[in-house]
Amino acid sequence: MKALVIGLGSMGKRRIRLMKGIDPSVEIIGVDTNPERRAQVEKMGCKTYRSIDDARCEKPDLAFVSTSPTSHYAIIKSLLGYKINTFTELNLVSDGYEELMSMAKESGTVLFLSSTMLYRGEIRYIMEQVESFKKPVSYIYHIGQYLPDWHPWEDYRNFFIGWKRTNGCREIMGIELPWLIETFGKVKSVHSVSQRMTELDIDFDDKYFITLTHEDGTQGVLAVDVVCPKAVRYLEVFGENLHLFWEGNPKALYKFNHDTGEKEFINTYETFEHMDGYSDNIVENAYVDEMKNFLEVVNGREQPKYSYEKDLYTISVMDKIEGIE
C-alpha cells in the first residue's frame, strides 16, 4: 500500500511517524512545495514530490491532507479526481462540501474527516456516562491556550490559526463541538459574547463565552480563548447524582462518589503516548486510533466516527457562534 502525506509541517510529520508505527509496510510519499520540509521528510526515509500531479506516478492508494484548512477543497478535489481515498484534518470551512461528497459517492472513494476527540478514551467514557444516566445534565467547559504558543517555532501570523477565517478560537470550536454535539445532542439555540483581550496582531476576537441549549434541554457553557498563558482544558458535567471532572489529560478524569464524598480517578488507558513540545492534553493514542479507523473504512471493515455531513452541521453552529451569516 502507498500513502501520500500532503503538507509536511508538524501535523504531516506526525501522520508519517504514526503511520510508520501502525503499518511499517506502507510506503509513505510526502508532498509539499517547501523544499526544506521535503528535505526533512526525506531524512525520515520517505520519497517526496512537489505536487500531487508529480506524485501521481507512484499510484497511491490513499492520502492524508495536512495543509491549512482553506487549501483543503482544491487538494481533495484533485485527489478524488484520481480516485484516491482521502483523510483530511479539520476543514473549519465548508468550501465545496456538496461537490466533494458527490464526487466521492460517484467514484466509490472514501472521504474521511478527522475528529480526533471522538477517539479519546476520556471522551468515550463521558459519552457513555451521559447516555446511561438518562436524566438532564449540564456542563461547563473552558478550553484555551495563548495563540503564539500553539506553534512556538513559527510566527502565528503565518499559521492559519492567526487568520480570521480559520482563527484559533474557531479551531478550538472545530475540535470540541463534534464530540459535544455527539454527546449532548443537536443545538437548539446559541448565545455568545466575544471580545479582544490581547495585543496580538490579529483581526478577530480572542475570547468567547458561549451558552448552548441542546434539543433535549441540556445546557452548556463554553469559554473558548487564545489568551490563557497556560494551556487549559477543564470540563465539569453535572446532574442529580452525576458529577464528572476532566482536566484535559488521561491522568485527570474523575467521577464524584456520593457515598464516599470523594472524587475517584477514572483510568481509560492502559498506556498513553505524549509528544514532547505539545501541551499535556494532546495524546497520541487518539491520532493513531482515527488513522486505524480510516484504514479499516478503506478496507470496508468499519464505519467512520465522523463525516462531512455531520461537519456541515458543526460548521453551521460555529458560524452562529461567530455571528457569520
Side-chain angles (χ1 to χ4, degrees), residues 50-323:
R50 190 179 186 280
S51 70
I52 296 170
D53 288 341
D54 291 343
R56 186 188 174 196
C57 64
E58 297 288 344
K59 298 182 179 179
D61 303 286
L62 49 90
F64 294 89
V65 179
S66 298
T67 59
S68 59
T70 52
S71 69
H72 288 179
Y73 164 60
I75 292 171
I76 297 167
K77 183 177 179 179
S78 176
L79 292 167
L80 292 178
Y82 294 138
K83 297 185 178 181
I84 299 172
N85 299 302
T86 302
F87 175 113
T88 182
E89 314 294 349
L90 287 178
N91 290 320
L92 300 182
V93 293
S94 58
D95 297 353
Y97 266 36
E98 298 294 344
E99 180 184 4
L100 296 177
M101 289 188 291
S102 177
M103 288 180 69
K105 184 177 181 179
E106 289 177 7
S107 64
T109 307
V110 172
L111 189 60
F112 189 101
L113 182 56
S114 170
S115 188
T116 312
M117 293 294 285
L118 289 168
Y119 296 83
R120 290 195 65 148
E122 307 100 308
I123 296 302
R124 290 196 298 270
Y125 177 83
I126 292 166
M127 293 173 73
E128 290 166 1
Q129 288 289 301
V130 170
E131 183 178 5
S132 62
F133 186 58
K134 300 185 185 305
K135 294 181 182 179
V137 296
S138 295
Y139 60 90
I140 301 172
Y141 196 17
H142 178 200
I143 318 100
Q145 182 179 4
Y146 190 46
L147 192 71
D149 291 343
W150 285 32
H151 280 189
W153 55 85
E154 63 182 326
D155 191 324
Y156 65 87
R157 290 166 292 191
N158 299 328
F159 179 31
F160 71 83
I161 59 167
W163 309 338
K164 184 174 183 178
R165 194 168 182 230
T166 55
N167 68 80
C169 287
R170 189 174 178 91
E171 165 84 345
I172 291 172
M173 295 176 209
I175 292 170
E176 305 292 344
L177 281 172
W179 82 261
L180 291 171
I181 292 168
E182 190 75 19
T183 303
F184 301 109
K186 287 192 172 183
V187 176
K188 181 179 179 181
S189 64
V190 171
H191 178 72
S192 69
V193 293
S194 62
Q195 68 176 148
R196 283 283 304 278
M197 292 182 66
T198 67
E199 297 179 356
L200 294 172
D201 184 15
I202 55 178
D203 61 351
F204 54 87
D205 286 345
D206 51 30
K207 183 200 72 176
Y208 282 79
F209 284 160
I210 308 156
T211 302
L212 299 176
T213 300
H214 297 264
E215 289 182 350
D216 70 350
T218 293
Q219 290 187 316
V221 176
L222 300 182
V224 171
D225 71 76
V226 293
V227 178
C228 285
K230 182 185 184 304
V232 60
R233 179 182 271 136
Y234 183 75
L235 170 72
E236 286 192 44
V237 178
F238 55 94
E240 187 178 21
N241 297 320
L242 176 70
H243 202 167
L244 305 174
F245 306 81
W246 184 46
E247 295 179 19
N249 68 75
K251 298 179 180 179
L253 175 63
Y254 300 91
K255 182 177 182 180
F256 182 73
N257 186 320
H258 192 269
D259 293 333
T260 65
E262 301 288 340
K263 292 196 299 184
E264 296 181 347
F265 171 64
I266 305 298
N267 185 14
T268 60
Y269 294 90
E270 291 184 9
T271 61
F272 64 89
E273 297 180 25
H274 171 257
M275 187 175 178
D276 291 342
Y278 287 89
S279 167
D280 65 359
N281 61 34
I282 296 178
V283 178
E284 298 287 276
N285 304 54
Y287 292 102
V288 170
D289 288 344
E290 71 175 349
M291 291 172 72
K292 287 181 177 178
N293 183 212
F294 171 55
L295 296 176
E296 291 299 292
V297 172
V298 169
N299 289 324
R301 292 192 288 262
E302 290 183 4
Q303 293 297 314
K305 288 185 180 293
Y306 199 55
S307 67
Y308 277 68
E309 290 85 356
K310 289 182 178 180
D311 201 50
L312 273 174
Y313 179 76
T314 300
I315 288 174
S316 74
V317 175
M318 291 160 58
D319 287 346
K320 287 178 182 177
I321 291 170
E322 289 193 272

Side-chain angles (χ1 to χ4, degrees), residues 26-37:
V26 174
E27 184 179 348
I28 301 171
I29 299 119
V31 177
D32 201 302
T33 57
N34 186 315
E36 183 178 343
R37 287 181 173 180

